[in-house]
Amino acid sequence: MTDAALIAARATVLADLDARGCADAEGVSLLEHALSERRWWVEQWPAGATYVAGLVATDVQDALFDRGQRWPLCSTCASLEEHALRVDPELGGPDPVWVCETSGQAIARLGALTSS
């Protein structure tokens, strides 16, 4: 169960990284690091496997932000100020979605972002 959840989380987050042009060496490296960090968490709490994709996406988002890069950027609302999407629900869940920080509008399911 742990490996399957982590493989699914990897594919989901990688699809969103790729859709927004961040599936480069740095982005994939940050994704792999987040997965290795979450492995222990999933092993300790197998029932939480459905939450891991949202948590990994948030981990990658935070790591990119720490490097000065916002990901994924919102490309759908009228705000002129650059802003990112966030995972909702915040602590993950079985069906996480990307939500605009500014409007609160759901933009896409995790893993289903389109290029901007």
Side-chain angles (χ1 to χ4, degrees):
M1 161 106 56
T2 298
D3 286 339
L6 292 170
I7 289 168
R10 183 185 192 284
T12 300
V13 177
L14 184 58
D16 286 343
L17 283 168
D18 187 46
R20 296 299 173 94
C22 292
D24 56 9
E26 180 181 25
V28 173
S29 178
L30 293 173
L31 173 58
E32 295 299 334
H33 178 74
L35 289 164
S36 69
E37 293 289 315
R38 288 295 175 179
R39 175 174 289 284
W40 178 87
W41 183 85
V42 176
E43 288 170 347
Q44 299 305 306
W45 189 41
T50 59
Y51 295 82
V52 77
L55 295 171
V56 168
T58 300
D59 293 344
V60 172
Q61 185 177 45
D62 290 346
L64 284 167
F65 185 79
D66 289 346
R67 288 168 171 71
Q69 182 177 355
R70 287 185 169 177
W71 171 82
L73 293 177
C74 181
S75 61
T76 61
C77 76
S79 175
L80 297 176
E81 187 173 319
E82 182 179 87
H83 59 282
L85 303 175
R86 63 177 168 75
V87 174
D88 188 60
E90 189 173 323
L91 296 177
D95 297 310
V97 295
W98 289 110
V99 173
C100 173
E101 287 181 341
T102 302
S103 71
Q105 177 184 355
I107 305 300
R109 286 183 355 269
L110 191 65
L113 283 176
T114 57
S115 58
S116 54

